[in-house]
Amino acid sequence: MTAVSLFAQKEPVKPFIQSLPYDSASVPRERFVDFQHLRLEASFEPTQGKVNGWVTHRFQAIRQNVDTLFFDGPDIQIQEVNYHDQKLTIRKYETGFTVVFPKALSWNSADSLSIRYVAFPRHGLYFVGWNDPTNRARKQIWSQGQGTDNRCWLPMFDNMNDKITSEMIITMAKPYKVLSNGVKLGVKDVGANQIWHYRMNKPHAPYLIMLGIGDYEIDARKTGSGLAVNLWYYPDWKDRVAGTYAKSTEMIEFFEKEIGVPFPWENYSQIPVQEFMYGAMENTTATVFGDFFFNDARGLLDRSYVGVNAHELAHQWFGDMVTARSETHHWLQESFATHYNMMYEREAFGQDYFDLARRNAQNAALNASTRDLYPVASSDAGSTRWYPKGAVVLEMLKYVVGREEFNRAINHYLKSHAYDNVDTEDLLIAFHETLGYSLNWFWDQWIYRGGEPVYKVESESTKESTRFIVSQLQEKLPYVGLFKMPIVFEVHFTDGSKESKTVWISEKVHNVKIDHPAGKIAAYALFDPGNQVIKAVVFNKSFDQLKQQALSAQYMLDRLDAVIAMSDLPIDQKRDVLIQVYKKETFHEVREAVIEQLAKDKNKKSRQLMASSFTDSDLIIRKAAVASYDTIPKDFKKSYEGLLNELSYQLQEEVLYKLCLSFPADRATYLEKTKLEMGNNAHNVRITWLEWSIKNGNKAAITELADLASVSFEFNTRRGALTLAKELSIFNEDFLKHALDAARSANNRMSSAGVGYLNWAYKLNPEWKTMIDSQLNTWNAQQKWEYDLAKKIQK
Ligand SMILES: [Zn+2]
């Protein structure tokens, strides 16, 4: 496609495509047929991790003479391919198999075939908790298809560029419930089993096919417009439902209004699963998320599900309804989901919260540029650019064109490509068609090229005016040029009023002048107030200017920047101002920046402020206070002790740890006071409690720690227990067994904890090495992954 010819350009179009590094992933995968419908009938043998499947594919040739057809399906055992009651010959490959048709297919011939198969998937479908000898673990089966893992348990053309409707007919033992994509057509009792039938009536990409199976209850809600929202939960966690799923329907209503396109599917469900390797996954109509987000009221103080919830929800439009045509355009999914998630958080938590998230995203982008300069639209961009950078690039686009204009263009983009694939040019075209002007320059500098601007700003005020000199300092490279952006300049006067001016900054050096109204005296100046543009800035200001900015700037980020800019100033110069800022400021991030600078100050006024911060009503401030000291100063001993029964599990853990470390004589008292505390899902408080109990000579605590490392517990608990055992140099047969179980997990985060522990023991002690070797010998290393894993442990 050549988008260029569509535009009535005032200026010649830059040949930006040629400036890109070649991205082989920009080419969509080759297809020979158009797959239309997938119908799976499946049952499982969970203790063996086995899938018995019968899948029917409907398709239509898109070329003349299609004599063979390839299906993805690594390690799947194909038992039969049935084609109009005829068994087809197949050719097997490492990554899948090819079927040979008796007669070549031709254009437009609607056709179908069915495949009977068995799979023991290592990836794509996960069997959790079925082999716990103590029968305490939750028993689940769940899928994770993105990027290309569904092919490991379901043979198909597994690529984002061929959308299909799908149908899942799953046989499962009672009382387990089954969730899949789309509408539940029915559940039929057949002896000890039930057959669950789901159907997607609109096409979606194969990586979005999902299954979630286990012991669940469902909280059924409805949005204002009548959309059914089914929120799945563990029956023993009913009391966590309200807090975890807070705002779930509200955010759907918010997105429908903001995006202007109704929720694109017939219903929406969410299901937590154990041992999930990512945060969450936006399968069409059915989001799967890690149950570590499913917290009680205390756990929610540290970790809310709202942001991730909104992110996956936004994907139902961006990613599920319109799907990237190839990996190069992955940002069209993740940047949008992150952007709309931030939008919802602003709605729920306010502008300051949003601004801080935006600043963090901008800083992440600047950081990534110290490593490489890939553009956002690249299969090599990496998650920092697909998620935070792209999200704030969209925010800048909105800043350039206007929120209403942005929303109209996005609406047009979605409607033009509904249930289809898209690429980065489609988005650009949608903006052009909607707004009538070219944004090629914006795509060029922020999406097709990498890097960010580095501005040097100098300002000088006289009685009559303030003059700015702005230079762009970034190194000019093939993929990074000069940046063009509208930037606001502001002069604030001592009487609280201001003058501002917006100037397009595009050259290497710009001069900007703002005249002062008669009699007004400049207090401080701002370059891009509120921080709209991703950038690094060098803008030196006097202490007096920083002081006025920290105390009176309208936007939180400008106040924050002023406080941070004081970091290197002598404490006696800035102490009183910082204390004044702390007392006046309402947002935690600025107050934290003050705490950071005053924590080490011995002056009485700073000590008083620090003492008050331990009992601040804002949890984040209490956390900042506690984090300020590695060993607790004597005069704050009482302050820390006062937080030992803190509701936040994270804070409680840190307080317990630091008290035990700093005051060994009082350890027994601290442990007695917290002996009933378990902490969050990962047992964080209990594991810290066990640590100090073991250090205090409590042998039973070692047995309990080993139990926490076993398959009976969720993976963050097991990781924490193994990490602690290693730190305390504890090795025995129990830990060996649990570490081997952990190492074999298909979840990398679990596996790496097991491997780390075993590898440490293997190298440290010849006796332990022998014990590990003899266990590994029983594996027989029949599969490649087992062989590779053993090698990692024995390294
Ligand atoms: Zn995402």
Side-chain angles (χ1 to χ4, degrees), residues 19 61 84 112 176 234 261 263 305 391 510 546 590 632 661 686 708 788:
S19 74
H84 306 299
S112 71
Y176 299 107
Y234 304 153
V261 174
F263 185 82
Y305 180 55
H510 272 270
L546 291 176
V590 186
I632 301 169
L661 176 76
R686 188 61 178 176
L708 292 180
D788 293 344

Side-chain angles (χ1 to χ4, degrees), residues 544-700:
D544 214 45
Q545 289 167 334
L546 291 176
K547 173 184 160 180
Q548 311 257 23
Q549 184 177 328
L551 284 166
S552 60
Q554 178 192 354
Y555 297 107
M556 180 275 293
L557 288 177
D558 294 320
R559 301 195 299 273
L560 177 65
D561 285 341
V563 171
I564 290 172
M566 292 182 199
S567 293
D568 295 332
L569 299 178
I571 187 74
D572 288 331
Q573 183 183 11
K574 67 187 177 185
R575 181 185 300 115
D576 288 347
V577 172
L578 289 177
I579 291 172
Q580 217 182 326
V581 169
Y582 183 87
K583 288 183 175 155
K584 192 178 172 200
E585 181 62 48
T586 52
F587 194 65
H588 59 77
E589 190 73 9
V590 186
R591 300 176 78 218
E592 277 181 85
V594 171
I595 286 179
E596 236 167 74
Q597 295 183 47
L598 295 185
K600 302 279 153 26
D601 182 20
K602 298 272 189 297
N603 180 281
K604 211 173 131 196
K605 285 193 244 172
S606 294
R607 293 310 253 192
Q608 269 171 0
L609 179 142
M610 285 308 298
S612 76
S613 66
F614 287 97
T615 54
D616 199 274
S617 61
D618 189 337
L619 168 62
I620 298 176
I621 294 301
R622 298 201 297 283
K623 282 185 174 174
V626 165
S628 295
Y629 307 101
D630 292 332
T631 44
I632 301 169
K634 276 215 179 67
D635 53 341
F636 290 145
K637 185 178 184 225
K638 283 256 163 341
S639 300
Y640 277 79
E641 286 174 351
L643 293 173
L644 201 52
N645 290 316
E646 170 68 46
L647 286 176
S648 151
Y649 292 129
Q650 278 176 6
L651 190 50
Q652 187 177 37
E653 177 195 344
E654 191 175 346
V655 168
L656 174 62
Y657 183 90
K658 287 183 170 173
L659 281 170
C660 287
L661 176 76
S662 308
F663 308 107
D666 297 322
R667 245 180 231 172
T669 317
Y670 301 140
L671 292 172
E672 177 61 25
K673 274 192 177 160
T674 50
K675 68 179 179 189
L676 297 177
E677 297 286 348
M678 289 296 140
N680 57 24
N681 295 353
H683 292 79
N684 70 322
V685 180
R686 188 61 178 176
I687 288 174
T688 296
W689 189 92
L690 290 172
E691 173 175 356
W692 290 103
S693 299
I694 291 167
K695 285 176 176 166
N696 255 14
N698 177 348
K699 287 270 186 307

Side-chain angles (χ1 to χ4, degrees), residues 755-776:
V755 171
Y757 176 82
L758 292 166
N759 187 249
W760 157 80
Y762 196 85
K763 281 194 287 209
L764 194 71
N765 182 315
E767 206 178 305
W768 298 350
K769 177 176 184 291
T770 311
M771 286 166 74
I772 294 169
D773 279 333
S774 72
Q775 285 296 317
L776 292 179

Side-chain angles (χ1 to χ4, degrees), residues 146 280 282 311-312 315 333-334 337-338 387:
Q146 198 179 22
E282 69 275 15
H311 177 105
E312 308 310 327
H315 271 309
Q333 308 185 170
E334 295 307 341
T338 308
Y387 292 74

Side-chain angles (χ1 to χ4, degrees), residues 122-124 126 142 144 149 274-278 292 715-716 718-719 722-723 739 741-757 785 788-789 792:
R122 171 81 179 146
H123 294 290
Y126 301 87
W142 48 263
Q144 167 54 33
D149 283 352
Q274 188 163 305
E275 211 170 302
F276 199 55
M277 65 287 277
Y278 307 115
F292 39 83
F715 79 109
N716 284 315
R718 295 167 66 194
R719 266 158 37 110
L722 285 172
T723 306
D741 278 336
R744 292 175 67 89
S745 168
N747 180 334
N748 264 341
R749 286 192 279 170
M750 180 78 264
S751 181
S752 62
V755 171
Y757 176 82
W785 69 264
D788 293 344
L789 183 58
K792 264 202 258 177

